[in-house]
Amino acid sequence: MINNDQAEALRNLVRNNAMMQNEGLATRIVTVTSGKGGVGKSNFSLNFSLALQQLGKKVLIFDADIGMANIDVLMGVSSPYNLYHLLKQEKTIWDIIQEGPHGVHFIAGGSGFKDLVDLSQAQLDYFGDQIGRLHGQYDVIIFDTGAGLSKETIKFITAAQETIIVTTPEPTSITDAYALIKMVTAMEHDVNFKLIVNRATDVKEGKATADKMALVAQRFLDLELPVLGYLLDDPNVPKAVKRQVPFSIAFPGSVASRSIMDIAKQFADVPDASQAASSGVKGFLHKMFRLSK
Ligand SMILES: Nc1ncnc2c1ncn2[C@@H]1O[C@H](COP(=O)(O)OP(=O)(O)O)[C@@H](O)[C@H]1O
Ligand SMILES: [Mg+2]
């Protein structure tokens, strides 16, 4: 738990950010997650970010899967510094932000590190302070998390304004996604979930998967689970992964690329309706550190 001095320092930080609110962009903070691993979160996060950036948004993609570098590998861009160096207080937030294709900004997760499960309070404070500096700098910040419910992932999900949950039509992926939603909603009521069905054989299968999940969420959790979009299984995706070029750049005319652009357009057109929508980085930090209002 944070002590009083630390809480006061964080409160001041949040207040200062509030004063800056009108000077910068109102950032939409999105966490991308899944129950089961390997369902396409990182490919989605990256290509979704690139599509939003192409639509004129300023986007930061944040690889929140520490120890398992993904985003930089998928882009074929190496990053000298990453999240690890930030958490270790060795680098500032600006030192670890890199530029990728289309001018998208990214923070790499780094590889070969053990999970930093227990950060010291000083490390957490530094992290919060540094993240606070992102306030007003981006239209969208996307956190790509690891699969399943680690302590860190729960924080990112509950602190973000919008959580995109990725599933495939496979029953194991669906049940794991549902289990994750159930656990998260038991802890935090106002999580704003949206569903992406990835690797569907056709739109019909994608729709059937989304309908099934929405029905179960409604009936058993009393939860709205709107679908953000469907991505078909596309052989160009693994091809692009092997080339270390994002699929939307390697194969812009592919089915997956066209779908991701449609999804990005829809996302950009329909602003987040949640109460936290205008709170951006400030609201995110507030929830991350559980400050009382
Ligand atoms: N729409 C798709 N069509 C075909 N293959 C896909 C698709 N999406 C993801 N994949 C494959 O699944 C693998 C895992 O994707 P990844 O984005 O790394 O998943 P996660 O981040 O959830 O672990 C990728 O290497 C890719 O080849
Ligand atoms: Mg991943």
Side-chain angles (χ1 to χ4, degrees):
M1 277 314 287
I2 51 179
N3 66 34
N4 284 341
D5 286 352
Q6 289 160 340
E8 184 53 32
L10 278 167
R11 255 178 233 123
N12 284 335
L13 170 80
V14 169
R15 240 177 257 132
N16 291 340
N17 280 336
M19 292 189 321
M20 287 157 47
Q21 187 90 14
N22 295 328
E23 293 167 19
L25 304 167
T27 310
R28 267 173 99 166
I29 298 186
V30 180
T31 294
V32 178
T33 193
S34 71
K36 193 169 178 279
V39 296
K41 285 181 302 296
S42 298
N43 275 280
F44 170 80
S45 302
L46 173 59
N47 291 280
F48 182 57
S49 301
L50 291 171
L52 286 170
Q53 184 83 20
Q54 276 184 292
L55 292 171
K57 303 289 174 193
K58 249 191 122 193
V59 184
L60 172 70
I61 174 162
F62 195 123
D63 192 341
D65 194 359
I66 192 159
M68 309 268 256
N70 265 180
I71 297 299
D72 52 338
V73 178
L74 288 175
M75 276 192 287
V77 179
S78 67
S79 169
Y81 305 117
N82 51 55
L83 184 53
Y84 181 83
H85 299 99
L86 183 75
L87 291 170
K88 282 288 179 189
Q89 294 177 264
E90 287 167 13
K91 293 288 163 194
T92 69
I93 192 82
W94 310 119
D95 293 332
I96 65 166
I97 294 177
Q98 304 287 314
E99 194 165 311
H102 302 321
V104 78
H105 283 186
F106 74 96
I107 292 176
S111 55
F113 307 119
K114 273 204 302 182
D115 244 16
L116 287 173
V117 213
D118 288 311
L119 291 173
S120 71
Q121 193 53 52
Q123 286 171 324
L124 277 176
D125 289 349
Y126 181 75
F127 179 74
D129 173 72
Q130 293 293 307
I131 296 291
R133 289 163 201 250
L134 297 176
H135 182 85
Q137 300 292 317
Y138 295 96
D139 292 301
V140 188
I141 300 178
I142 294 178
F143 289 96
D144 175 32
T145 69
L149 272 190
S150 70
K151 224 166 61 182
E152 285 74 23
T153 299
I154 293 173
K155 282 202 166 177
F156 283 117
I157 294 174
T158 54
Q161 295 150 21
E162 296 165 86
T163 295
I164 295 178
I165 182 137
V166 182
T167 186
T168 71
E170 287 182 350
T172 42
S173 172
I174 295 175
T175 48
D176 288 359
Y178 176 74
L180 180 135
I181 292 171
K182 189 175 169 182
M183 280 172 80
V184 170
T185 44
M187 285 181 274
E188 176 77 36
H189 299 297
D190 57 352
V191 176
N192 189 353
F193 285 108
K194 292 184 175 70
L195 188 68
I196 285 286
V197 180
N198 188 27
R199 308 196 70 167
T201 314
D202 47 33
V203 175
K204 198 173 155 219
E205 189 189 41
K207 277 209 166 81
T209 305
D211 288 350
K212 200 187 305 175
M213 284 207 63
L215 194 75
V216 174
Q218 184 69 64
R219 185 177 301 163
F220 298 107
L221 305 174
D222 193 22
L223 178 88
E224 251 359 282
L225 187 58
V227 65
L228 181 61
Y230 315 99
L231 281 162
L232 301 191
D233 195 79
D234 185 337
N236 291 308
V237 176
K239 247 192 249 172
V241 171
K242 280 180 202 149
R243 283 196 206 168
Q244 288 189 265
V245 179
F247 67 74
S248 56
I249 290 176
F251 305 103
S254 65
V255 187
S257 301
R258 277 180 290 154
S259 305
I260 210 92
M261 189 45 91
D262 288 345
I263 293 168
K265 278 185 189 142
Q266 199 201 321
F267 177 89
D269 284 351
V270 183
D272 177 30
S274 76
Q275 271 199 330
S278 57
S279 57
V281 173
K282 181 181 74 107
F284 178 79
L285 279 176
H286 187 92
K287 282 192 151 183
M288 264 229 148
F289 292 96
R290 293 287 141 189
L291 296 177
S292 54
K293 281 201 176 135

